[in-house]
Amino acid sequence: MGDGTGEQYRAVAVIGGGVIGASWTALVLARGMRVTVSDPRPDIEPVVRAGLRAVAPTLGELGLDVVALVEDTGALVFESDLAAAVADADVVLENVSERLELKQRVWAAVEVAAPGDALFASASSALTATAIGERMRRPERLVIGHPFNPPHLVPLVEVVPGARTDPAVVDRAIAFYRAMGKSPQLVKKEIPGFVANRLQAALFREAVHLVCEGVVTEQELDRIVTGSIGMRWAIAGPFETFHLGGGPGGLPAFLKHLGKSLQEVSWPSLGAPSLDEPTVALLSDQAQHFDATVDQLAARRDQAIVRLMGALRQVPAQAPE
Amino acid sequence: MGDGTGEQYRAVAVIGGGVIGASWTALVLARGMRVTVSDPRPDIEPVVRAGLRAVAPTLGELGLDVVALVEDTGALVFESDLAAAVADADVVLENVSERLELKQRVWAAVEVAAPGDALFASASSALTATAIGERMRRPERLVIGHPFNPPHLVPLVEVVPGARTDPAVVDRAIAFYRAMGKSPQLVKKEIPGFVANRLQAALFREAVHLVCEGVVTEQELDRIVTGSIGMRWAIAGPFETFHLGGGPGGLPAFLKHLGKSLQEVSWPSLGAPSLDEPTVALLSDQAQHFDATVDQLAARRDQAIVRLMGALRQVPAQAPE
């Protein structure tokens, strides 16, 4: 398929057949491309095929063609040999474990075996393209494309160039993810955790503090979030939310009225919990009180994401950039 | 109307006709009750009536009866004299400015004029029931019911008792907000900012840091949030999200794998920006780049919230407590 920039994608190599790799595989197949999955584990094929069958109904609800996810149409092959797997790839998506040495080794090998114009993207959530590309001859070819769980549903992909990444590679990666139906967003500077995971870590730290202080339980805190700030942030991000909180004067008025209180009262009073043994025990214990199994909760979340995306499609949260 | 506990609500006194007061007025009228708005401003009636007409279409979309919001059915009266306004109230909802002395004075006056069994709730977002009730003869009657913008749409009400609040008052407040169609959530301990605003402050601090560091703009950060963590938090709160992130082992497995990294890498690397003059100038400047006016953005947000609530109604984010 094309991305509107003249680039054609036919063959994608997915390196690493874990949860993220299987999710990319599902999406790419459902977009009509051929996929070669490369993973050294001997049982990888049945594991990935089971994963594809599991997500097929959800992708079908989104209107995608899922035949290649549930039948052997020949669009999906498995090739444990890395060099062979990438030999005719237009795009290489790497999703191996978050270990620097492993990712460096994989990319050094991919680089010599893949076509010279293939697009290279790592789904790293923490390691940077600068670090991962250190053993590459042409590190300018590599960019981070960081997806969010579950990647076949959640729209965002953080596209993060390394210090040496060619800006043309960034543009190609953004065009590719758009063609896959995702919402890629350029992160202009490499920073540990990129953007969304840093914001998530900041909120989670305070959430842990509030549970440890006995203010609310995990489930109570979750209900508070889904019924207020979570719902709002699905529609308008934190800046737009406070822009609207400022009335006709917008964010400048908000900061004028509440900035001092944020700076002098709210921020200094935030907690700094330690994830020591008693804290982990408390958090783990409360996690026994969710009202369903992890699988049931995940199925409910995925169903809800599909419905939410359908509902918001008619009212864009924000006009396209 | 009744709340299922045998309590009947006929007359509600809304003290303070600002944005929050007008929003409560709209919701209470649409639920079939009589409302007396008390506000000393001479122009309060046309301002509140304009506010009711503005939110009527949205509440109508939610299936509520909005006749009393757009026509003078007699269900809504204005009474600047506080004692007269609360004289026959079943419920008193106070929404005056966030100034301790003012709230203390209002409640001391309400207490002597309202029926002895009226339910008393303050929509304070920061001041506690303990502090606000200090000049009351029976501070055990007062509880915080903290709503979220826009209160006629966002389901959450944080119900926060003060040190002396009668537990029966807490139960009555929760039953009342449920009868209004809201999602009240008890916050067991008084803590500055309660729960949602503390979580919001924690995330916003890191958001300000990332914009100040030039990693992303305000609009880019907002798109990142709506397309990933915001969407997820509308459906599953931060604990359930990480519970699902841990795979079959749930939150305990998540903390085992990523707890050390959160504690030793992510949390220490979070920013601590100062809202000094250059920062406020930068944030205010970028706020000029939203793609619509505040009014247009607010209308889009409200429309999106209605659609999102409709979509998620069929898939509860979490089973009721």
Side-chain angles (χ1 to χ4, degrees):
Chain A
M1 80 183 283
D3 64 7
T5 69
E7 188 134 15
Q8 292 294 317
Y9 310 109
R10 291 163 304 265
V12 176
V14 170
I15 314 302
V19 172
I20 306 293
S23 183
W24 278 134
T25 299
L27 193 61
V28 166
L29 284 171
R31 294 274 173 194
M33 285 162 268
R34 285 185 290 116
V35 179
T36 303
V37 172
S38 186
D39 191 305
R41 285 174 287 178
D43 66 338
I44 193 66
E45 179 160 353
V47 170
V48 169
R49 288 202 186 271
L52 298 181
R53 281 191 298 274
V55 303
T58 317
L59 287 176
E61 263 193 76
L62 287 175
L64 300 183
D65 178 358
V66 297
V67 171
L69 280 67
V70 293
E71 289 174 24
D72 190 352
T73 62
L76 172 62
V77 295
F78 292 81
E79 174 53 69
S80 58
D81 182 77
L82 189 55
V86 302
D88 78 337
D90 302 309
V91 182
V92 180
L93 301 176
E94 170 267 305
N95 320 272
V96 304
S97 301
E98 205 70 11
R99 302 198 327 260
L100 181 58
E101 190 279 333
L102 173 64
K103 283 190 189 278
Q104 286 180 335
R105 187 155 42 84
V106 163
W107 280 110
V110 166
E111 175 178 42
V112 296
D117 60 351
L119 175 64
F120 290 172
S122 169
S124 170
S125 62
L127 300 168
T128 62
T130 301
I132 296 170
E134 252 165 33
R135 295 200 206 162
M136 292 174 74
R137 296 181 207 166
R138 294 182 50 206
E140 63 271 23
R141 293 187 67 185
L142 183 66
V143 72
I144 301 294
H146 174 224
F148 290 79
N149 238 337
H152 59 280
L153 289 182
V154 176
L156 178 68
V157 180
E158 288 178 323
V159 175
V160 195
R164 291 159 300 194
T165 305
D166 182 348
V169 169
V170 175
D171 292 343
R172 288 177 67 204
I174 287 175
F176 170 71
Y177 290 119
R178 283 234 176 85
M180 307 262 296
K182 309 306 284 181
S183 301
Q185 180 60 57
L186 174 63
V187 175
K188 291 188 288 267
K189 280 189 187 178
E190 277 185 328
I191 185 167
F194 313 137
V195 172
N197 278 350
R198 292 179 68 90
L199 297 173
Q200 191 162 229
L203 183 136
F204 188 65
R205 179 163 64 171
E206 183 61 20
V208 168
H209 173 66
L210 291 167
V211 167
C212 290
E213 292 292 310
V215 176
V216 279
T217 65
E218 292 176 359
Q219 288 76 20
E220 288 168 346
L221 187 139
D222 277 0
R223 276 195 295 270
I224 284 175
V225 170
T226 55
S228 62
I229 51 180
M231 170 182 287
R232 289 199 307 208
W233 285 332
I235 291 165
F239 286 105
E240 186 176 329
T241 294
F242 283 164
H243 191 52
L244 298 183
L251 189 66
F254 176 88
L255 292 171
K256 194 172 168 193
H257 292 128
L258 289 172
K260 197 172 140 77
S261 156
L262 264 179
Q263 165 91 12
E264 295 178 10
V265 183
S266 306
W267 289 350
S269 88
L270 294 176
S274 170
L275 283 175
D276 52 21
E277 214 174 296
T279 301
V280 169
L282 172 74
L283 296 175
S284 298
D285 181 56
Q286 289 199 5
Q288 307 310 312
H289 302 301
F290 286 104
D291 63 348
T293 66
V294 168
D295 280 352
Q296 289 166 335
L297 292 171
R300 192 159 68 183
R301 175 197 58 189
D302 292 359
Q303 201 192 342
I305 290 178
V306 170
R307 285 178 186 271
L308 183 150
M309 288 171 67
L312 296 188
R313 202 168 292 134
Q314 295 125 37
V315 188
Q318 214 173 11
E321 51 184 321
Chain B
M1 81 183 281
D3 64 7
T5 69
E7 187 134 17
Q8 292 295 317
Y9 310 110
R10 292 163 303 266
V12 176
V14 170
I15 314 303
V19 172
I20 306 293
S23 183
W24 278 134
T25 299
L27 194 61
V28 167
L29 284 172
R31 293 274 172 194
M33 285 162 269
R34 287 185 288 118
V35 179
T36 303
V37 172
S38 187
D39 191 305
R41 285 175 287 178
D43 66 338
I44 193 67
E45 180 160 353
V47 169
V48 169
R49 289 204 186 270
L52 298 181
R53 281 191 298 274
V55 304
T58 318
L59 287 177
E61 264 194 76
L62 287 175
L64 299 184
D65 178 357
V66 297
V67 171
L69 280 68
V70 294
E71 290 174 24
D72 190 352
T73 63
L76 172 62
V77 295
F78 292 81
E79 173 55 69
S80 58
D81 181 76
L82 189 56
V86 302
D88 78 336
D90 301 310
V91 182
V92 180
L93 301 176
E94 171 268 306
N95 319 272
V96 304
S97 300
E98 204 70 12
R99 301 197 329 260
L100 180 58
E101 191 279 334
L102 173 63
K103 284 189 189 276
Q104 286 180 335
R105 187 155 41 84
V106 163
W107 280 109
V110 166
E111 176 178 42
V112 296
D117 60 350
L119 176 64
F120 290 172
S122 169
S124 170
S125 62
L127 299 168
T128 62
T130 301
I132 295 170
E134 254 166 31
R135 294 201 207 162
M136 291 174 74
R137 296 183 208 165
R138 295 181 51 204
E140 64 270 24
R141 294 186 67 185
L142 183 67
V143 71
I144 300 293
H146 175 224
F148 288 80
N149 237 335
H152 58 281
L153 290 181
V154 176
L156 179 68
V157 180
E158 288 177 324
V159 175
V160 196
R164 290 160 300 193
T165 305
D166 182 349
V169 170
V170 174
D171 293 344
R172 288 176 67 202
I174 287 175
F176 170 71
Y177 290 120
R178 283 235 175 85
M180 308 261 295
K182 311 305 286 180
S183 302
Q185 179 61 56
L186 174 64
V187 175
K188 290 188 288 266
K189 281 189 187 180
E190 277 185 329
I191 185 168
F194 312 138
V195 172
N197 278 350
R198 292 179 69 91
L199 297 173
Q200 192 163 229
L203 183 135
F204 188 65
R205 178 163 65 171
E206 184 60 20
V208 168
H209 173 68
L210 291 166
V211 167
C212 289
E213 292 291 310
V215 175
V216 278
T217 66
E218 291 176 359
Q219 288 75 20
E220 288 167 348
L221 186 138
D222 277 359
R223 276 195 294 271
I224 285 175
V225 170
T226 54
S228 62
I229 51 180
M231 169 181 290
R232 289 197 308 206
W233 284 332
I235 291 164
F239 286 105
E240 185 176 329
T241 293
F242 283 165
H243 190 54
L244 298 182
L251 188 67
F254 176 88
L255 292 172
K256 193 172 170 193
H257 292 128
L258 289 172
K260 196 172 141 78
S261 155
L262 263 179
Q263 165 91 11
E264 295 177 9
V265 182
S266 305
W267 289 350
S269 87
L270 294 175
S274 170
L275 283 176
D276 52 20
E277 214 175 296
T279 301
V280 169
L282 173 73
L283 296 176
S284 298
D285 181 56
Q286 288 199 7
Q288 308 310 313
H289 302 301
F290 286 104
D291 63 348
T293 65
V294 168
D295 279 352
Q296 289 166 335
L297 292 171
R300 191 158 68 183
R301 175 198 57 188
D302 292 358
Q303 201 191 343
I305 289 179
V306 170
R307 285 178 186 271
L308 182 150
M309 287 170 67
L312 295 188
R313 202 167 292 134
Q314 294 125 37
V315 188
Q318 212 171 10
E321 52 186 318

